[in-house]
Amino acid sequence: MANGVAEIRRGLKAGKFSSVEITQDYLARIALHNPALNCFISVTDEIALAQARQADAALARGESAALTGVPLAHKDLFCTDGVKTSCASRILDNFIAPYDATVIENFKRDGAVMLGKTNMDEFAMGSSNENSYYGCVANPWNTEYVPGGSSGGSAAAVAAGLALGASGTDTGGSIRQPAALCGITGIKPTYGRVSRYGMIAFGSSLDQGGPFARSAEDCALLLQTMSGFDPRDSTSAEQAVPDYGAALGQGIEGLKIGLPQEYFADGLDAGIGAVIENAIEELQKLGAVIVDISLPNTGLSIPTYYVVAMAECSSNLSRFDGVRFGHRCDNPTDLEDLYKRSRGEGFGAEVKRRIMIGSYALSKGYYDAYYLKAQQLRRLIKQDFQQAFDSVDLILGPTTPETAFKIGAKTDDPVSMYLQDIYTISLNLAGLPGMSLPVGFCDGLPVGMQLIGNYFNESGLLNAAHCYQQVSDWHQQIPEAFR
Ligand code: GLN
């Protein structure tokens, strides 16, 4: 089966197959494989087929938009008009969104077909997709292993060929880390590039939407649709969106790539280090110039993130009170009982842990010591990157310190789970774009390499990744059970 967005678009335009045919193929694959992977919370067959019929009619009229007829999946935290949008939480298990998120609206505008809504960690809190009310997702490379999180359903769906591409969100690594663990490509754009309107909030100053696909070329296509200024999101960037496709294939001759010493220090699995070294050599053969750099405040990024993210989530999640929408407990005795039991029953353990820590960090007397301090450290982390970008064009490192781990291996150890994001989280604190692309395997499990760009340099990231993918085929590997 063709597995690239670009290839499918060409086939659709040339009339080799119809959108209804490929949509039916994908729906059949989902029906066959989703029971083992659990990457979809909702499969929207009827919507998908109706959109595919519309796409075929448009193609027949010679009117094709950027993604006409292309079957995709969306993380279940993007509001979708008339469709359940659960955030993988019991508290939103009965929530049918009354409107479309801007990202969803953009995909509709460009003619894409929605196959369904993907599983995730509850409210995007997690690194393994084990924190979902709907159960964990399995990694297609080995179903005893986690796919990463929080956008684990989207990543697993693309890796297993149950969707051509998928949307995700990244607050501390949730696009890049699952892309790495599932052996696919994913990009988290600059904060403000993709609208957050209708994307259920976790940490508002960190959250950013972005795409998953097999290749950088496909990510460029999907990011083009997702990006752009949106007056409904007050932090949306009023910046023109470049033509990401046109930026590909410019070559990387003379491109200066920085290797932060802190990303190759203790804590990095030796096997991953060796795989990354090989990828660096390939980039050098393509003309890239490697420069050693330092991001001295890297070690502060996890504690800083877990104050900021928890503070922001405790505030964002206060709207789930059992009154306006979502789960409500049975027979409340009074208002307080209603709040307590609705929230107590509706939220899972990790979400509760974070709301409590966040409320504590924001409380009078502790605000200065924790939240304000974290904001100050955030500035230092950002300055590290700004200094580095004075001398390099891109920064490179591993996406994760280890490959996928076994389901259950870290559930009792939240701190070890939090350490999964050591290389990804600082970008969210700084608002910078980053992407992960597959560069090899360790013991049969995929390894991801992270590229980091300066603000709004998504084109530079996509171009470098595309150049690498022109001379490698890791991004085309498909797990045996799903070929
Ligand atoms: N793993 C991180 C967390 O648990 C990041 C999650 C994300 O990016 N949504 O918060």
Side-chain angles (χ1 to χ4, degrees), residues 75 123-127 149-150 169-175 202 305-306 309 350 354 417-418 421 425 428:
K75 187 173 183 179
F123 285 101
M125 299 176 192
S127 304
S150 65
T169 61
D170 191 311
T171 304
S174 281
I175 290 175
F202 162 14
Y305 170 86
Y306 279 98
E350 180 64 20
R354 294 190 186 206
M417 190 74 93
Y418 295 170
D421 299 312
I425 236 161
N428 301 73

Side-chain angles (χ1 to χ4, degrees), residues 389-434:
F389 283 121
D390 284 343
S391 57
V392 298
D393 303 305
L394 298 180
I395 296 173
L396 179 156
T399 308
T400 58
E402 9 173 344
T403 51
F405 44 92
K406 275 208 164 150
I407 293 172
K410 294 188 195 290
T411 33
D412 294 332
D413 187 356
V415 173
S416 144
M417 190 74 93
Y418 295 170
L419 283 169
Q420 291 306 304
D421 299 312
I422 179 89
Y423 308 128
T424 50
I425 236 161
S426 51
L427 279 70
N428 301 73
L429 291 165
L432 290 164

Side-chain angles (χ1 to χ4, degrees), residues 15-178:
K16 278 196 194 154
F17 38 77
S18 69
S19 176
V20 167
E21 281 167 348
I22 52 166
T23 300
Q24 279 167 339
D25 276 358
Y26 277 97
L27 290 171
R29 286 181 66 79
I30 294 171
L32 181 65
H33 295 299
N34 196 50
L37 295 175
N38 196 28
C39 45
F40 283 88
I41 290 176
S42 307
V43 180
T44 51
D45 312 49
E46 282 176 22
I47 294 176
L49 289 168
Q51 289 175 335
R53 280 192 293 272
Q54 267 181 23
D56 285 334
L59 287 158
R61 291 192 303 269
E63 293 165 11
S64 88
L67 295 171
T68 299
V70 174
L72 304 174
H74 298 299
K75 187 173 183 179
D76 205 22
L77 57 51
F78 287 102
C79 286
T80 35
D81 193 7
V83 176
K84 170 166 149 173
T85 301
S86 72
C87 253
S89 181
R90 183 180 181 201
I91 212 156
L92 288 177
D93 182 44
N94 63 4
F95 176 60
I96 308 289
Y99 68 99
D100 279 326
T102 299
V103 161
I104 300 295
E105 223 174 66
N106 290 356
F107 277 117
K108 283 189 179 169
R109 175 199 68 205
D110 286 352
V113 168
M114 177 172 85
L115 296 166
K117 306 287 295 291
T118 56
N119 203 347
M120 53 183 281
D121 282 301
E122 184 178 5
F123 285 101
M125 299 176 192
S127 304
S128 65
N129 222 121
E130 292 168 290
N131 300 333
S132 166
Y133 176 57
Y134 304 95
C136 64
V137 175
N139 189 318
W141 289 96
N142 183 334
T143 51
E144 287 177 14
Y145 285 69
V146 303
S150 65
S151 317
S154 287
V158 173
L162 308 192
L164 273 167
S167 58
T169 61
D170 191 311
T171 304
S174 281
I175 290 175
R176 293 159 287 156
Q177 188 253 13

